Amino acid sequence: MKIKSIIRGAGGFVPGEPVSNTDLIARGVDTDDNWIRERTGIMTRHIAPPEMMTSDMAIAASEIALKNAGVAAADIDLIILATTTPDNTFPATAMKVQTALGCTPGIPAFDIQAVCSGFIYGLATANSYLQTGLAKRALIIGAETMSRVVDWTDRSTCVLFGDGAGAVVLEAAPEAEASGRGIISSHLHADGRYGPKLYTDGGVAMNQRAGLLQMDGREVYRHAVTNLAEVVDEAILQNNFKYSDLDWLVPHQANIRILESTAKKLDMPMDKVIVNIDRYGNTSAASVPLALAEGMNSGKIKEGELCLLEAMGAGFTWGAVLLRL
Ligand code: UT7
């Protein structure tokens, strides 16, 4: 029996009040509002207070996702949490989510580290679990506290990132009962040759520190545009769809110009692209599920619509998931 993985509900969480570009200047960052708006599209981001950790935001987003899905925590049998800013080096942050939500002890729960593409990797992995019968109801989360890993003295990177979390509940259904809904295909890629273009200058094995984010912005931008253009083609054309079949693009929010470039390639108007970079900045693995949760919970994205989720980030990693909601 063929199984389809259907998204039953989604939730998003961002901490505290929005922090504007002007607020960053007041905090000592040598930047200006116009530069950030024009080059990136970012107007505000959210920054977690010192006592808040990645797990707290993951738990908050998951609770909303479970409620919207109408699924009890006890019915979840797999947790995958995508993050590059875990609470601890170990155990995985997914463990804290499992315990806090009251999920059944003993179910598999683990973190995935693919930086900004982490949620796409997590969703693809969960889909494989569901399709092979290893799980029936999975919670997939993207959660990040990027504010703790950026170098606040480096204006070329610190203004770009924000904190937050997004989560979805994915449920297995026999294809015959899925009415065409569910994940159609997932496409994951990585190319380690570009590691030095976006990385932290630390790590457990390297120097016992998390390190601070370093980025060659122009190079990342150039590859993001190309890799995303290729992966959207892979997802749409290999499934014998046309660009015009797509109802929604739910992209990783790294730079409004990258979003516009992908939309242009797909010949999609920007009102068919879920955009929240203006309010949240780049929240790494949280960005796609935050956008999806906003799209679904605002009533924009409707059941049965064809959605393309895509992301590109450090590694480089990139990927896409095509699904019918
Ligand atoms: O999520 C992972 C994927 N990440 C991405 O996709 C990010 C990709 N990269 C980008 O989005 C863009 O490359 C950036 C937004 C990071 C930078 O935009 P850019 O148009 O490539 O600017 P640039 O790095 O070439 O910098 C141009 C100028 C420089 O000044 P000079 O040397 O031309 O006088 C910088 O010093 O902008 C200056 N600058 C700033 N000015 C004010 C850099 N950062 C800032 C800042 N405020 N925050």
Side-chain angles (χ1 to χ4, degrees), residues 135-150:
K136 285 199 160 45
R137 258 177 233 102
L139 180 64
I140 305 104
I141 310 155
E144 300 279 19
T145 320
M146 295 305 286
S147 61
R148 309 257 162 87
V149 82
V150 295

Side-chain angles (χ1 to χ4, degrees), residues 13 76 83 264:
F13 174 85
I76 293 294
T83 188
K264 191 169 168 212

Side-chain angles (χ1 to χ4, degrees), residues 14 56 59 61 121-122 163 165 173 176 188 205 227 239 296 308:
V14 288
D56 297 311
I59 292 159
Y121 269 65
D163 301 336
L188 303 182
N227 293 349
N239 285 300
M296 287 172 64
L308 183 65

Side-chain angles (χ1 to χ4, degrees), residues 2-322:
K2 199 153 182 242
I3 296 291
K4 296 295 279 186
S5 306
I6 298 176
I7 293 187
R8 292 293 186 203
F13 174 85
V14 288
E17 294 300 313
V19 176
S20 71
N21 298 334
T22 320
D23 293 336
L24 289 185
I25 298 168
R27 291 179 184 205
V29 180
D30 173 22
T31 186
D32 74 84
D33 182 36
N34 274 341
W35 188 95
I36 303 175
R37 281 174 193 249
E38 279 169 19
R39 302 286 180 116
T40 72
I42 300 169
M43 290 194 254
T44 61
R45 75 284 294 140
H46 290 250
I47 297 178
E51 68 281 3
M52 187 178 283
M53 286 191 271
T54 297
S55 60
D56 297 311
M57 295 185 280
I59 292 159
S62 299
E63 283 171 343
I64 300 168
L66 287 167
K67 185 165 174 276
N68 289 340
V71 167
D75 292 330
I76 293 294
D77 56 6
L78 170 68
I79 301 174
I80 301 179
L81 190 154
T83 188
T84 192
T85 48
D87 290 10
N88 298 82
T89 300
F90 70 83
T93 304
M95 308 295 110
K96 284 194 182 171
V97 176
Q98 179 196 22
T99 308
L101 292 178
C103 295
T104 311
I107 64 163
F110 56 90
D111 288 0
I112 274 195
Q113 220 279 39
V115 203
C116 299
S117 315
F119 180 78
I120 299 289
Y121 269 65
L123 199 55
T125 306
N127 182 39
S128 301
Y129 271 72
L130 266 53
Q131 289 198 314
T132 51
L134 288 171
K136 285 199 160 45
R137 258 177 233 102
L139 180 64
I140 305 104
I141 310 155
E144 300 279 19
T145 320
M146 295 305 286
S147 61
R148 309 257 162 87
V149 82
V150 295
D151 178 354
W152 284 102
T153 66
D154 176 7
R155 69 176 184 173
S156 69
T157 53
C158 71
V159 302
L160 306 174
F161 293 90
D163 301 336
V168 300
V169 174
L170 194 68
E171 189 172 55
E175 189 171 29
E177 292 166 25
S179 316
R181 296 180 65 196
I183 292 180
I184 295 161
S185 65
S186 42
H187 308 264
L188 303 182
H189 298 285
D191 189 340
R193 290 176 300 170
Y194 297 99
K197 301 293 178 197
L198 179 50
Y199 63 101
T200 70
D201 59 3
V204 180
M206 183 187 287
N207 58 9
Q208 297 174 285
R209 289 195 288 272
L212 294 175
L213 187 148
Q214 315 288 329
M215 177 167 75
D216 179 345
R218 279 193 189 172
E219 273 296 286
V220 177
Y221 186 99
R222 201 166 63 79
H223 283 275
V225 168
T226 314
N227 293 349
L228 291 173
E230 280 174 14
V231 83
V232 299
D233 267 356
E234 202 180 305
I236 296 172
L237 306 181
Q238 282 183 14
N239 285 300
N240 296 319
F241 284 110
K242 303 184 293 297
Y243 294 159
S244 56
D245 292 326
L246 206 57
D247 293 303
W248 292 101
L249 179 65
V250 186
H252 171 49
Q253 316 274 320
N255 186 318
I256 189 70
R257 292 183 288 144
I258 299 176
L259 273 63
E260 286 167 351
S261 156
T262 312
K264 191 169 168 212
K265 187 209 156 44
L266 292 170
D267 204 17
M268 276 186 112
M270 282 306 283
D271 61 2
K272 287 291 181 185
V273 181
I274 304 291
V275 178
N276 61 26
I277 186 166
D278 51 331
R279 287 165 291 133
Y280 302 152
N282 180 347
T283 56
S284 186
S287 128
V288 171
L290 260 173
L292 183 62
E294 281 199 357
M296 287 172 64
N297 299 341
S298 65
K300 270 188 180 178
I301 308 180
K302 297 184 179 60
E303 203 175 295
E305 290 188 318
L306 191 65
C307 306
L308 183 65
L309 283 48
E310 47 88 335
M312 140 91 194
F316 292 151
T317 57
W318 66 103
V321 171
L322 185 68

